[in-house]
Amino acid sequence: MKDKTMSIFFFFLFTYFFSVLSPLSARNVAPNPFLESAPRHQIPAIFAFGDSTLDSGNNDYINTLFTGDHLPYGRDFPGYAASGRFTNGRLTPDFLVSYLGLKNALPPYLAPKLSDQELLTGVSFASAGTGFDDLTAQTASVINMDTQLRYFREYLEKIKNIAGAERSGQIIKNGLFIISAGTNDMVFNYYDLPLRIMQYSLPGYHDFLLHKIENIVQELHSLGARKFAIAGMPPIGCLPVQRTIGSLLPGQHILQRICTEQQNSDTQAYNHKLQSLIQQFQATIPGSIFVYTDSYGPMMDMVNHPSKYGFEVTGEGCCGTGMVEMGFLCGGLSPSCSDASKYMFWDAVHPTEATYRTLATIIEQTVLPHFLVQL
């Protein structure tokens, strides 16, 4: 166990060392993609809370190494410049606001000089590298969930000044609140850097994270939120970096890089508990809508049947070797594949725009219909 822990520690020390010494690329400013159009459905705004799957650039405005403000990130985003998203183009919420006719992309709350219309139709409060566990955000020097909620309370005052109390209240009441985090908690705090493993059993840590979700939902509900889409975790064991780390363990061949099945099994156990919690929310919080958003099932199907989605590579990211690169390791000096649409992952952790587009399509068909009612 000691040898296993030390090998993982030095692996991350190695990657961190090179990420810190990598030259910081100049920030690229893209043309404003947040164009307004008339909403087509009874969802006037989208609000996102969580990690890099929802962070459209908030980390660009804080002091952290966890930024996606440099190429090749964003090379396929409108304007062909890094937007702060940890992918080559758009995230799932960007596709959703476009589908709803609200705007073309969901802006980060911390972006300066957002227009009134951009604010009124929703923003992202998410922060790449964060989790439900405060220790995760502290380790990465990113925005924890309590701060995201504080920003939301600050946001409420802004839109009251813009639209008045009644209209702003309706926007919040009928707006869609997306919550997605937990992967970083498991990877940073339990699997690869086992900071919590001495304090919690695996089921105990899952319960700890679920209790955090419960607190977040209660706080948002007290502030007027009524429509919640809460995402489960993806198949963590199939993330390219987890494949790589798994291949370094005793008894494994470094060239195999297969999915870590135990981590996937753990994820399924967590997701089942989350679904039960969401059912509890629906039964005990009247006048609200709660829907579970499944990323595990669709992403495992992508891994098992890549050609069905147009993918040729699912075990490596497009950036660099695709086995360990993320953040500054995926920088201007890193080569990247010529066609990211053939890759499931952009870097060693984060999906490509093609994957996010597929997930968004599934959400449009299976999740959004639950929310297309006026409360």
Side-chain angles (χ1 to χ4, degrees):
M1 179 65 183
K2 182 179 179 182
D3 291 341
K4 172 183 172 181
T5 302
M6 290 302 294
S7 66
I8 292 173
F9 173 78
F10 282 113
F11 173 80
F12 271 87
L13 183 65
F14 175 84
T15 55
Y16 179 79
F17 175 79
F18 278 97
S19 70
V20 170
L21 293 185
S22 297
L24 302 184
S25 300
R27 296 179 188 267
N28 296 282
V29 180
N32 187 348
F34 312 123
L35 304 178
E36 301 90 2
S37 59
R40 296 194 301 264
H41 299 291
Q42 299 298 336
I43 300 177
I46 283 182
F47 306 99
F49 299 81
D51 58 22
S52 57
T53 58
L54 303 176
D55 181 6
S56 51
N58 284 307
N59 278 17
D60 291 358
Y61 305 99
I62 63 174
N63 186 22
T64 180
L65 290 173
F66 283 73
T67 57
D69 61 349
H70 55 279
L71 292 172
Y73 289 106
R75 74 175 198 189
D76 300 311
F77 191 76
Y80 307 102
S83 65
R85 292 162 174 80
F86 278 75
T87 187
N88 58 304
R90 288 163 289 181
L91 302 171
T92 294
D94 297 318
F95 291 112
L96 295 181
V97 293
S98 178
Y99 169 76
L100 291 171
L102 300 172
K103 47 197 169 189
N104 288 344
L106 188 71
Y109 174 67
L110 294 183
K113 300 179 181 178
L114 291 177
S115 71
D116 290 352
Q117 185 65 12
E118 286 166 357
L119 287 169
L120 292 175
T121 50
V123 291
S124 171
F125 300 92
S127 177
T130 201
F132 295 123
D133 188 344
D134 287 344
L135 180 60
T136 306
Q138 180 182 344
T139 302
S141 297
V142 294
I143 306 168
N144 64 23
M145 298 304 296
D146 285 342
T147 302
Q148 292 184 35
L149 292 171
R150 177 169 62 81
Y151 285 152
F152 179 65
R153 290 191 291 271
E154 178 182 285
Y155 164 86
L156 288 177
E157 295 304 313
K158 289 184 179 181
I159 65 167
K160 284 180 183 177
N161 291 331
I162 295 170
E166 183 176 353
R167 183 185 172 198
S168 62
Q170 285 298 314
I171 290 172
I172 302 305
K173 183 178 181 180
N174 286 287
L176 177 58
F177 287 74
I178 302 175
I179 302 171
S180 177
T183 300
N184 294 325
D185 296 313
M186 296 306 304
V187 171
F188 293 161
N189 292 339
Y190 214 86
Y191 294 136
D192 301 342
L193 297 176
L195 302 175
R196 290 294 197 189
I197 203 167
M198 300 302 292
Q199 296 174 270
Y200 297 95
S201 66
L202 181 70
Y205 192 55
H206 285 170
D207 291 342
F208 171 81
L209 298 179
L210 293 167
H211 180 67
K212 294 287 188 178
I213 295 176
E214 190 171 3
N215 291 339
I216 292 166
V217 166
Q218 289 173 347
E219 175 68 13
L220 289 172
H221 184 268
S222 72
L223 295 170
R226 295 295 183 268
K227 297 180 178 181
F228 297 86
I230 306 175
M233 292 187 200
I236 293 176
C238 291
L239 300 179
V241 68
Q242 295 307 102
R243 290 176 183 248
T244 300
I245 293 173
S247 70
L248 299 176
L249 301 179
Q252 300 294 325
H253 194 286
I254 193 169
L255 296 180
Q256 286 182 318
R257 298 188 63 259
I258 59 176
C259 293
T260 305
E261 292 304 325
Q262 184 59 55
Q263 292 181 6
N264 285 348
S265 178
D266 295 344
T267 302
Q268 288 178 298
Y270 168 87
N271 287 342
H272 287 314
K273 284 188 174 182
L274 175 60
Q275 290 176 70
S276 295
L277 179 61
I278 290 172
Q279 291 174 357
Q280 179 183 323
F281 288 153
Q282 191 62 66
T284 59
I285 303 177
S288 300
I289 303 171
F290 294 89
V291 179
Y292 173 74
T293 301
D294 180 25
S295 59
Y296 186 96
M299 292 185 73
M300 276 306 302
D301 198 50
M302 295 176 198
V303 170
N304 294 327
H305 306 98
S307 61
K308 177 178 171 182
Y309 301 91
F311 295 139
E312 296 178 0
V313 182
T314 61
E316 300 171 1
C318 171
C319 186
T321 66
M323 295 188 288
V324 297
E325 292 90 345
M326 66 191 89
F328 289 122
L329 288 175
C330 175
L333 299 179
S334 301
S336 56
C337 65
S338 59
D339 186 357
S341 69
K342 299 186 183 308
Y343 281 69
M344 179 178 174
F345 290 95
W346 169 249
D347 60 18
V349 172
H350 303 100
T352 55
E353 179 184 77
T355 299
Y356 282 125
R357 183 192 298 272
T358 299
L359 293 174
T361 299
I362 294 171
I363 292 172
E364 289 166 11
Q365 295 171 352
T366 64
V367 175
L368 282 188
H370 294 276
F371 299 106
L372 301 182
V373 294
Q374 187 81 26
L375 295 179

